[in-house]
Amino acid sequence: MAAEEGKIDPMYQFEVQTILEGFSLGGQQIALTNSAIWMGFAVVALFLFMRGGMKRELVPGRWQMMVEGFTGFIDNMMEANVGPAGKKYAPYVFSLFMFILFSNVLGLLPVGVLGLHPFTVTSHLTVTGVLAIMSFSIVLIVGFAKHKLHFFSLFVPHGTPLPMIPFIFIVELLSFLVRPFSLALRLFVAMTAGHILLKVLAGFVINSSNAGAGYGVLVGIPSFALMIGISALELLVAVVQAYVFALLTSLYINDAENLH
């Protein structure tokens, strides 16, 4: 937490910092950053979680039941939204959902790991943007590979009056092209806003405590209580946003897979 003259900067937590100098490639500096390290933490935590739950015991333990619960949840969602064809996309959507979920939750840790301040990688538009572009690319690849030029009929709803087709086509096309931006922005804004609010409240607690007992009682204690409630809400948001990202991805895949 960065402090200057007793002031706490709520944006400091989003700063990408170079941990290990790397090398230059094409005029761009390639270095190990806190963002890359926390993405690595998320991948390692996800690997350990899945590894511990893949014992395939006849009588599953709690860990195995958790893993099977997550996989079954994504399988059911893909089958409900895409149909039988959704099974082949389940591994991708599952990986997407779990990576976002673990990244969101790790960013809410109250303490750092290996001396690194907790960092929420999904609070950066570059990360959420890449995830959204990956999902959007799959939709385009599947759509054109399966339907060829008939894929463009997605932008002309059935029953559209002939004079309205050019206008509706442009509106639907623009709506389609905006999808990756809205997908990335939704996750980015949700995680950023909550973390800023938590940091502001933490500043109230610290500054009121330094100001004296009276300020601590009037400002510090209510702010701390509010922090606890918002932290619980942020944990819920972390889960919900991962689910929304996976859900919208499955719906977009359905548009490409089941085009009529």
Side-chain angles (χ1 to χ4, degrees):
M1 185 180 298
E4 182 179 351
E5 297 180 358
K7 295 181 180 180
I8 297 175
D9 182 9
M11 303 304 295
Y12 177 76
Q13 59 184 316
F14 305 117
E15 182 180 334
V16 177
Q17 301 173 348
T18 299
I19 305 300
L20 183 63
E21 293 290 344
F23 56 92
S24 180
L25 179 63
Q28 298 293 325
Q29 185 67 24
I30 308 299
L32 182 64
T33 65
N34 55 342
S35 178
I37 291 176
W38 279 96
M39 279 191 278
F41 286 161
V43 172
V44 171
L46 176 55
F47 173 80
L48 294 176
F49 174 75
M50 295 300 298
R51 184 71 176 176
M54 295 180 65
K55 298 179 180 179
R56 298 184 179 181
E57 296 178 351
L58 184 60
V59 181
R62 293 192 179 118
W63 201 321
Q64 183 177 341
M65 290 178 64
M66 281 194 299
V67 172
E68 291 179 353
F70 278 114
T71 55
F73 171 73
I74 296 299
D75 279 340
N76 293 335
M77 183 181 72
M78 294 303 297
E79 185 172 359
N81 293 334
V82 185
K87 289 289 184 181
K88 59 176 173 284
Y89 304 104
Y92 168 73
V93 177
F94 176 79
S95 301
L96 190 68
F97 170 75
M98 296 300 289
F99 174 76
I100 294 174
L101 177 62
F102 273 70
S103 298
N104 292 349
V105 173
L106 286 177
L108 291 171
L109 290 177
V111 295
V113 177
L114 301 178
L116 294 174
H117 186 278
F119 186 88
T120 308
V121 298
T122 48
S123 64
H124 278 252
L125 191 57
T126 50
V127 175
T128 61
V130 168
L131 296 177
I133 290 173
M134 287 171 55
S135 299
F136 190 67
S137 299
I138 289 177
V139 173
L140 292 177
I141 292 171
V142 171
F144 283 109
K146 187 172 183 178
H147 304 287
K148 304 299 188 293
L149 294 179
H150 182 61
F151 182 65
F152 286 105
S153 66
L154 176 67
F155 311 125
V156 183
H158 181 70
T160 302
L162 187 61
M164 294 293 294
I165 287 180
F167 175 73
I168 295 298
F169 179 85
I170 294 175
V171 171
E172 290 290 334
L173 178 61
L174 291 176
S175 176
F176 180 80
L177 295 177
V178 166
R179 285 181 176 182
F181 298 100
S182 63
L183 197 61
L185 281 172
R186 184 181 292 104
L187 177 59
F188 157 70
V189 171
M191 301 312 300
T192 302
H195 283 64
I196 290 176
L197 181 57
L198 284 174
K199 195 66 71 174
V200 170
L201 291 173
F204 287 163
V205 173
I206 294 174
N207 290 333
S208 62
S209 300
N210 294 334
Y215 286 100
V217 173
L218 294 175
V219 179
I221 294 178
S223 297
F224 183 73
L226 190 57
M227 272 188 64
I228 295 176
I230 293 179
S231 296
L233 180 61
E234 272 293 283
L235 185 59
L236 176 63
V237 169
V239 178
V240 170
Q241 288 300 319
Y243 167 69
V244 169
F245 203 102
L247 175 65
L248 292 177
T249 298
S250 68
L251 293 175
Y252 296 159
I253 290 175
N254 175 63
D255 289 341
E257 183 70 32
N258 300 316
L259 181 64
H260 299 293

